[in-house]
Amino acid sequence: MSVSKRLLWVNGACYPLRNIARVHTFVVHPARGAAMMTFLKRLIPTLLVLAVVGAFEEDSGDSLDFIRFLCLAFLVYALVDLLVVLFGASYSVLAIETTGEPKALVTSREGPVLVDLVRRISDAIENPDAAFRVRVERLTVNMRNYTGDTVNMIGGSNNTGVSR
């Protein structure tokens, strides 16, 4: 991430400083409750299929063994998917919003680093001669597993506000 000549560069994307409407940090947390509900929605039907297959025990054939194998493999997948979210860490996020729709998100495990970046970017907006370069660790975060505020504020009418 760098600022030079009134431009903010984030991983190859360029944002003119005059178009930045807001720079802020927030924390995203794993959606543990939603992950548990998804696991239960997967577990209950799979256990029902296993119970039905178990009722036909005297007809034990290759097709029933294959169905049991598929159910157990799916249960292992569902459990691993649950554990990834349950043991997932919270991340600090730096959000850079422009006057249009584009947004840049930079994540880090260290919140104070991002708070310092907010200060540096706001200083660069106020001071045309400001320039800096900062290396931020790159994280891959699956946002499907995290919760946060959803804000729909594009346009001037029918705004829904904050959904939690």
Side-chain angles (χ1 to χ4, degrees):
M1 173 182 287
S2 65
V3 168
S4 65
K5 299 181 183 176
R6 307 285 301 146
L7 296 174
L8 170 65
W9 290 89
V10 179
N11 196 29
C14 175
Y15 299 89
L17 290 173
R18 68 180 177 276
N19 289 351
I20 294 177
R22 181 169 83 152
V23 179
H24 63 101
T25 61
F26 59 94
V27 177
V28 291
H29 304 283
R32 292 179 176 99
M36 187 59 78
M37 289 304 295
T38 300
F39 177 74
L40 291 175
K41 288 177 184 177
R42 292 172 174 171
L43 176 69
I44 293 170
T46 307
L47 291 178
L48 288 174
V49 169
L50 284 173
V52 168
V53 168
F56 296 106
E57 193 63 41
E58 66 275 352
D59 258 357
S60 183
D62 290 340
S63 61
L64 291 181
D65 290 340
F66 183 69
I67 291 172
R68 283 188 197 98
F69 170 76
L70 286 179
C71 287
L72 293 175
F74 182 71
L75 285 176
V76 168
Y77 162 77
L79 182 63
V80 168
D81 194 40
L82 172 69
L83 293 176
V84 165
V85 177
L86 288 181
F87 293 108
S90 296
Y91 291 98
S92 295
V93 178
L94 167 70
I96 302 164
E97 300 173 16
T98 64
T99 53
E101 278 192 48
K103 178 189 287 191
L105 298 175
V106 177
T107 61
S108 176
R109 290 186 178 97
E110 301 175 22
V113 171
L114 297 182
V115 171
D116 182 57
L117 279 175
V118 169
R119 185 193 54 76
R120 287 180 174 215
I121 293 169
S122 62
D123 182 54
I125 292 169
E126 291 180 347
N127 301 311
D129 295 330
F132 68 86
R133 178 176 291 270
V134 175
R135 182 175 172 89
V136 179
E137 67 180 280
R138 175 176 284 192
L139 295 176
T140 303
V141 177
N142 183 355
M143 290 304 291
R144 179 180 63 91
N145 295 335
Y146 289 83
T147 59
D149 293 341
T150 302
V151 180
N152 180 10
M153 295 293 288
I154 300 169
S157 61
N158 297 325
N159 294 323
T160 59
V162 177
S163 302
R164 295 189 190 267

